[in-house]
Amino acid sequence: MDATTAPHRIPPEMPQYGEANHIFEMMQNMLQQLLIHQPEDPVPFMINYFQQDNDNVPKIMILGPPASGKTTIAMWLCKHLKSVLLCLENLMTKKYSSLAERARKRYQKMKSLPGSLLVKLIEERLGEDDCVQRGWILDGIPETREQVLMIQALGITPRHVIVLSAPDTVLIERNLGKRVDPHTGEIYHTTFDWPPEFEIQNRLIVPEGISEQETAQKLMAYHRNIVSVLPSYPKILKVISADQPCVDVFYQVCCGRLLKEAVADKSKFGEVIQPFFEKDLAVPDGIIMKVLGDRLTQHDCIQKGWVMYGFPRDLDQAHMLNTLEYKPNRVFFLNVPLDSIIERLTLRRIDPVTGERYHLMYKPPPTMEIQARLLENPKDTEEQVKLKMDLFYRNSAELEAFYKQAITINGDQDPYTVFEYIETGIINPLPQKVF
């Protein structure tokens, strides 16, 4: 092989494109930190910064109104991601910290903390080894625009900001039934989530400030402040309805579309997928299968199993899954009449101010002011829905023939009824052979 045909090789000491980008971004961030902190001796500061390079660990803010379940979601995330939970309570109870002691005394006296003191507590805690190495999840902070600006000034930047949303009437009802385990901090509810263990039941306590009037006042303050917080995180913000079972909320928080995650997290497939997203083109099946295969071979999928929805979309993808040995042991088809699908999708709207999702028939906006500013997703027009359904109908017959042992369920029913049918299909004995 001569020099003209030999493949171009990058010297091993030269960084690859993705790595070079990462180094460039890290240098930018470090320079930003130098400008913010202006240390007397910048060399030790820079060495410490590079030692604390933790761009790949979780850095998440969970925001939401009272009783939206943000603390429960934050605790679940910490458990699954092995990250550090940060909230006002545990920031103030830190031992051997003069700052935390000062905050405790101030809070006991005033029942609140100045934003500057709260942000100093956060800065102190985020500098500790466990937060640096394992990442962090900030529960309910920041609450105001002022806190956002102070947090940003310190160079504290989350990778994801999750905002939970639900109607005020639902939140007030939830708050009235809230109970707390003083031993674990776990939150329960007298109606929706009562613990089966008598020992836990007997030690649950009613938290302060959950009366209807107190909750309504807190909700008013939340709505007043959140509209100035959300614009600070436009590219990493995800609004999720909290008016659904906690498991569903948790699933949406943790299990976004794999392809979008690959791009957002700059994985080894992200640079390949990005051009297709930018041009609004379908990602080739070969790339999808590589991303999917990479996820399904991870330890949690192997140990706990997996649930895949909306995939495979056609017979070719089903054959590819089968060939790669990713065979499901349960397949469900949900059938819904076209008229119902059009009604469900074309009447969906979103409030651009709060991120709240509405449906003009099933969940109309509470005021004319909100209704006037609602927006429709271009993908929810009747024309777009019919095009998608036409493609679905063409592929679904072949998929149903391929998965002969699949269970077909009428999806045009109450969600809980549909869930019960699916649950029945799951708890029955597994088939001797996979599909």
Side-chain angles (χ1 to χ4, degrees):
M1 183 179 291
D2 60 30
T4 59
T5 58
H8 174 65
R9 296 184 183 275
I10 299 174
E13 68 275 6
M14 183 175 180
Q16 299 288 331
Y17 175 75
E19 183 183 351
N21 271 353
H22 172 70
I23 293 172
F24 178 72
E25 289 176 3
M26 192 165 62
M27 291 294 292
Q28 278 188 318
N29 291 336
M30 185 196 69
L31 290 173
Q32 183 185 47
Q33 294 300 307
L34 282 171
L35 291 172
I36 292 171
H37 294 280
Q38 298 181 2
E40 293 182 5
D41 190 347
V43 175
F45 180 89
M46 288 188 290
I47 292 173
N48 182 63
Y49 178 84
F50 283 120
Q51 288 175 340
Q52 294 190 356
D53 174 27
N54 61 345
D55 285 345
N56 294 322
V57 300
K59 299 176 183 178
I60 303 171
M61 289 178 176
I62 306 285
L63 306 177
S68 60
K70 57 183 180 292
T71 299
T72 301
I73 296 299
M75 291 174 67
W76 280 1
L77 281 175
C78 285
K79 180 179 178 181
H80 286 266
L81 299 177
K82 311 298 182 186
S83 300
V84 179
L85 175 64
L86 303 179
C87 62
L88 178 60
E89 288 76 12
N90 61 31
L91 286 169
M92 290 193 300
T93 54
K94 182 189 169 190
K95 295 181 179 179
Y96 314 117
S97 167
S98 58
L99 194 63
E101 184 177 357
R102 180 153 63 96
R104 282 196 301 273
K105 291 179 180 178
R106 175 62 185 258
Y107 191 82
Q108 288 171 357
K109 185 177 181 180
M110 307 297 294
K111 297 301 179 183
S112 64
L113 287 184
S116 57
L117 182 55
L118 174 61
V119 172
K120 285 179 182 177
L121 279 173
I122 295 171
E123 182 186 23
E124 180 184 68
R125 188 66 181 88
L126 293 184
E128 297 184 8
D129 287 343
D130 56 348
C131 286
V132 172
Q133 294 170 6
R134 291 158 47 198
W136 45 267
I137 294 171
L138 206 51
D139 173 18
I141 304 170
E143 293 183 325
T144 65
R145 174 70 174 167
E146 178 192 21
Q147 292 176 8
V148 170
L149 295 176
M150 287 189 287
I151 286 172
Q152 290 178 336
L154 293 172
I156 300 170
T157 53
R159 297 182 68 200
H160 304 282
V161 176
I162 297 162
V163 181
L164 303 179
S165 176
D168 287 358
T169 52
V170 172
L171 297 172
I172 291 172
E173 181 185 354
R174 281 189 186 179
N175 228 19
L176 292 174
K178 186 185 294 184
R179 300 293 183 270
V180 177
D181 185 341
H183 291 187
T184 65
E186 192 80 23
I187 297 174
Y188 296 94
H189 195 277
T190 54
T191 303
F192 308 119
D193 184 25
W194 194 243
E197 301 87 353
F198 290 111
E199 180 183 357
I200 297 177
Q201 291 178 11
N202 292 332
R203 69 176 184 235
L204 295 183
I205 60 174
V206 179
E208 296 180 359
I210 65 169
S211 70
E212 184 172 349
Q213 183 177 359
E214 289 171 308
T215 303
Q217 290 175 345
K218 291 177 182 177
L219 286 169
M220 288 178 63
Y222 170 81
H223 293 310
R224 185 170 59 249
N225 290 319
I226 195 65
V227 292
S228 61
V229 171
L230 300 186
S232 302
Y233 303 104
K235 295 183 179 179
I236 56 174
L237 185 68
K238 183 174 185 180
V239 179
I240 295 174
S241 171
D243 190 14
Q244 53 184 326
C246 284
V247 173
D248 295 338
V249 177
F250 180 65
Y251 178 81
Q252 290 182 43
V253 170
C254 297
C255 307
R257 295 179 182 177
L258 286 175
L259 297 179
K260 290 184 178 179
E261 285 184 354
V263 172
D265 294 340
K266 301 179 182 177
S267 73
K268 58 186 177 181
F269 302 110
E271 292 179 9
V272 179
I273 299 169
Q274 182 69 41
F276 294 96
F277 276 18
E278 290 175 349
K279 297 177 182 178
D280 200 22
L281 298 173
V283 180
D285 286 349
I287 297 175
I288 293 175
M289 293 309 301
K290 287 180 180 178
V291 176
L292 187 60
D294 182 68
R295 184 66 184 90
L296 295 183
T297 53
Q298 291 182 24
H299 183 71
D300 56 347
C301 285
I302 294 172
Q303 292 292 109
K304 301 177 182 178
W306 43 266
V307 177
M308 198 181 302
Y309 70 94
F311 192 90
R313 296 190 304 270
D314 55 43
L315 188 59
D316 288 341
Q317 291 178 347
H319 280 299
M320 292 177 75
L321 273 177
N322 197 54
T323 302
L324 294 172
E325 300 298 323
Y326 301 131
K327 300 178 181 179
N329 51 33
R330 290 286 191 279
V331 175
F332 296 94
F333 287 100
L334 300 182
N335 283 346
V336 180
L338 179 59
D339 290 346
S340 295
I341 292 171
I342 292 174
E343 181 182 276
R344 288 185 184 186
L345 298 183
T346 60
L347 299 180
R348 295 194 301 190
R349 299 292 186 271
I350 187 167
D351 184 342
V353 175
T354 66
E356 182 77 24
R357 298 178 185 275
Y358 294 98
H359 191 280
L360 299 183
M361 181 176 292
Y362 304 124
K363 186 186 174 184
T367 67
M368 293 299 293
E369 179 186 359
I370 295 176
Q371 183 169 340
R373 68 182 185 228
L374 295 183
L375 298 177
E376 179 186 26
N377 190 322
K379 295 181 180 180
D380 285 347
T381 64
E382 185 170 343
E383 181 183 7
Q384 290 296 317
V385 172
K386 286 183 176 179
L387 286 173
K388 288 182 181 179
M389 288 308 302
D390 181 59
L391 180 63
F392 170 79
Y393 288 138
R394 277 185 279 158
N395 292 321
S396 61
E398 292 180 333
L399 286 173
E400 289 180 15
F402 184 80
Y403 294 114
K404 293 184 174 62
Q405 293 176 279
I407 300 171
T408 301
I409 295 173
N410 175 17
D412 194 20
Q413 306 179 77
D414 177 86
Y416 295 102
T417 303
V418 175
F419 175 78
E420 287 176 358
Y421 278 115
I422 294 175
E423 185 180 37
T424 301
I426 292 173
I427 62 177
N428 285 336
L430 290 170
Q432 293 182 351
K433 296 181 180 180
V434 294
F435 295 120

